[in-house]
Amino acid sequence: MSAITRDMNPITSPIWFPYSLMKQKSPILHCTSAKGVHITLENNQTLIDAMSSWWSTIHGYNHPILNQAANEQLNKVSHIMLGGFYTTASQKLADTLIQLTPKGLDKVFFSDSGSVGCEVAIKMALQYWYNLNKKNKTRLLTLEGGYHGDTIGCMALCDPNDGMHRAFGSQQRSKHLFLTPPKGGLNPKDSDLQKALSQAEHVIKSQHHSIAALMLEPIFQGASSMSFYSPVYLEKLCALAKHYNILVIFDEVATGFGRLGTRFAFDQCRITPDILVLGKGLSGGYLGLAATLASHAIFEAFLPEDKDPFMHGPTFCGNPLACNIAQASINLFESQHYLKKITKISKHLQEAFRNFKHPLVRSCRTHGAIAIIEVKEPETLKDAQAYALKQGIWLRPFSKFLYTTPAYIIKEQELQQITHTMKRYFKTLNTH
Ligand SMILES: *Cc1c(COP(=O)(O)O)cnc(C)c1O
């Protein structure tokens, strides 16, 4: 790693870096530019990006078409408040999102990050019931192993057993209810599926009067547990919720725009949520942007004159620069047959990890454009990032997970370098 110069020491840097232990060993690299899947460092060394900057840069970096969309909008207006104004960019993107998603979702609320998009979803659901005079419906139902963002409201729905937000105690989350998804990943045994569903039914039947919404990441749980669960479970759980008058909120901040091999994760089941949250890849990873889509029924509950309006309005909501780039990103996704590209990536990842076994590895799973190696002890991954850097690959493992979520424009040969590096790391380890 000596080839990489001027790495930032997180203790002396003026920047407070995210999710970093200040005493950690891994360097903070100096990126000077990036193009496609290549990140260039100060000394002109390049790295192949295996992470898509936390699932966001789905077209890679510095894409000419997205750059053009940014430049065109810069020359018109880069920002104007959405309180009282709209732009063609914000209006077109709202239309596009409504068209792309199933019938029933017909209002778009814009914000500037996935966490805020999720907060907006939660507030909409709570006030919906308040406005309908169902004032007891104030709790949320969710799944263990979930992640919805780092703000206080979202944090309360993150996995209760994961220590991520330990410092904040259990006070916030104790209000909410957590279900255990069936074990067995995408294809659980029937008995495990039934067990999980009967737990869900028991909780819902006995508590539905106090539950405003079921909020979850459909099929794939990202930043907390990096795990897949059965679409059959999802479908039946949502049907139960709807039957008992509980709203359904899907957080597709990570899975939206192709990550699971379909445009949205919920395309793999037959449920339309009442509220849907999109973020990350929405702007192609160019700017912070999230969209919370809601059904007409939800919107209608805010219409009577004696009700409070929806009290939320981030300063940068509907930012025209972000919206215009997002529109270009979606056009690219649709016109360049991205789902086919993703199928190819998916097959490659499946092949690469199908027979991968190692004594320190608990399991290895792939679906869509995601591949995860889960180890038994986090300690096992302590040198994985440094090893990958030496091979010219940017990986950022966390907890027990070494994973890749590549940009969809990645070439076969580059993908191979990533998967080889992930597997080869384990050959460097002493298993005794
Ligand atoms: C990343 C993520 C969020 C939070 O998005 P930010 O833009 O980081 O605030 C919320 N939900 C899911 C599923 C995510 O993956």
Side-chain angles (χ1 to χ4, degrees):
M1 236 159 31
S2 54
I4 301 159
T5 55
R6 286 258 230 133
D7 302 333
M8 187 71 91
N9 175 335
I11 296 177
T12 53
S13 160
I15 303 172
W16 190 328
F17 289 97
Y19 303 121
S20 297
L21 280 178
M22 290 307 157
K23 58 183 186 298
Q24 79 187 10
K25 282 194 299 182
S26 33
I28 309 281
L29 308 174
H30 184 189
C31 163
T32 53
S33 67
K35 181 136 186 84
V37 298
H38 297 106
I39 301 167
T40 302
L41 305 178
E42 201 173 67
N43 61 355
N44 284 331
Q45 187 192 350
T46 63
L47 300 173
I48 294 175
D49 178 23
M51 308 306 297
S52 295
S53 282
W54 281 325
W55 324 75
S56 67
T57 53
I58 58 176
H59 311 281
Y61 302 93
N62 207 345
H63 194 288
I65 290 178
L66 302 190
N67 290 0
Q68 191 188 342
N71 280 318
E72 278 170 13
Q73 189 61 44
L74 270 177
N75 287 317
K76 292 179 188 156
V77 54
S78 65
H79 183 61
I80 185 159
M81 64 200 288
L82 200 62
F85 292 101
Y86 75 94
T87 57
T88 306
S90 54
Q91 183 246 313
K92 264 176 86 174
L93 181 60
D95 280 345
T96 301
L97 292 174
I98 288 163
Q99 264 172 32
L100 271 187
T101 50
K103 215 165 152 266
L105 292 168
D106 60 5
K107 287 285 169 189
V108 181
F109 192 98
F110 287 117
S111 60
D112 40 19
S113 77
S115 302
V116 175
C118 287
E119 294 280 345
V120 164
I122 295 168
K123 282 175 69 175
M124 276 177 179
L126 296 179
Q127 198 180 336
Y128 167 80
W129 292 116
Y130 182 90
N131 285 1
L132 296 187
N133 291 319
K134 294 265 165 59
K135 295 187 179 157
N136 291 333
K137 281 181 160 296
T138 56
R139 307 162 91 183
L140 296 162
L141 178 64
T142 188
L143 299 181
E144 287 169 358
Y147 177 80
H148 297 284
D150 297 337
T151 52
I152 298 269
C154 296
M155 237 165 55
L157 296 176
C158 292
D159 186 71
N161 309 312
D162 161 335
M164 189 158 173
H165 297 121
R166 195 164 26 208
F168 303 90
S170 54
Q171 205 177 336
Q172 295 288 331
R173 90 170 40 110
S174 60
K175 264 208 329 236
H176 304 313
L177 297 162
F178 290 81
L179 300 173
T180 314
K183 48 182 190 180
L186 291 165
N187 298 299
K189 281 194 286 189
D190 204 45
S191 56
D192 287 326
L193 182 63
Q194 291 315 324
K195 198 174 132 205
L197 282 168
S198 56
Q199 183 215 13
E201 186 162 13
H202 173 75
V203 171
I204 291 175
K205 251 189 180 163
S206 58
Q207 314 273 344
H208 66 97
H209 298 292
S210 67
I211 304 173
L214 167 69
M215 180 162 180
L216 44 75
E217 296 159 278
I219 303 178
F220 176 67
Q221 298 183 293
S224 171
S225 62
M226 296 298 280
S227 61
F228 302 99
Y229 65 88
S230 152
V232 180
Y233 174 72
L234 176 66
E235 213 171 293
K236 298 206 164 159
L237 174 60
C238 293
L240 262 173
K242 291 199 173 205
H243 179 77
Y244 283 96
N245 254 337
I246 294 170
L247 296 173
V248 172
I249 305 173
F250 283 173
D251 174 356
E252 292 233 24
V253 171
T255 51
F257 301 101
R259 193 48 73 181
L260 292 197
T262 43
R263 192 180 286 116
F264 301 108
F266 72 83
D267 291 337
Q268 296 173 36
C269 72
R270 286 166 298 178
I271 294 285
T272 300
D274 301 289
I275 303 177
L276 170 68
V277 191
L278 301 172
K280 290 194 166 118
L282 173 62
S283 71
Y286 266 52
L287 279 170
L289 179 67
T292 306
L293 282 79
S295 70
H296 197 72
I298 302 229
F299 182 69
E300 260 187 341
F302 291 81
L303 289 179
E305 285 194 7
D306 60 335
K307 303 294 176 200
D308 287 339
F310 184 58
M311 294 306 287
H312 208 100
T315 305
F316 293 106
C317 66
N319 175 263
L321 194 52
C323 288
N324 207 47
I325 298 168
Q327 181 67 51
S329 166
I330 294 171
N331 291 348
L332 205 56
F333 191 97
E334 299 300 322
S335 67
Q336 302 293 308
H337 310 292
Y338 268 58
L339 291 178
K340 281 195 187 142
K341 295 185 207 291
I342 296 164
T343 304
K344 274 196 187 150
I345 294 173
S346 178
K347 284 194 180 129
H348 184 111
L349 295 175
Q350 227 175 344
E351 283 294 313
F353 291 105
R354 176 174 294 147
N355 298 316
F356 180 68
K357 289 211 164 58
H358 189 277
L360 301 175
V361 169
R362 170 171 292 150
S363 76
C364 193
R365 39 190 186 263
T366 69
H367 187 49
I370 309 174
I372 303 146
I373 298 175
E374 179 176 347
V375 297
K376 292 172 183 163
E377 300 298 333
E379 183 69 8
T380 304
L381 296 179
K382 72 179 181 353
D383 299 319
Q385 189 174 49
Y387 173 79
L389 283 174
K390 278 192 198 138
Q391 318 299 314
I393 307 290
W394 172 240
L395 282 166
R396 193 180 198 275
F398 76 95
S399 175
K400 291 181 289 183
F401 310 108
L402 180 65
Y403 71 102
T404 180
T405 51
Y408 306 143
I409 49 112
I410 195 162
K411 296 199 176 81
E412 186 79 18
Q413 188 259 338
E414 294 157 340
L415 193 54
Q416 193 159 55
Q417 279 176 264
I418 292 173
T419 56
H420 278 190
T421 299
M422 288 170 71
K423 290 190 284 186
R424 251 190 261 129
Y425 169 64
F426 291 88
K427 294 218 169 112
T428 69
L429 300 178
N430 192 342
T431 52
H432 306 292

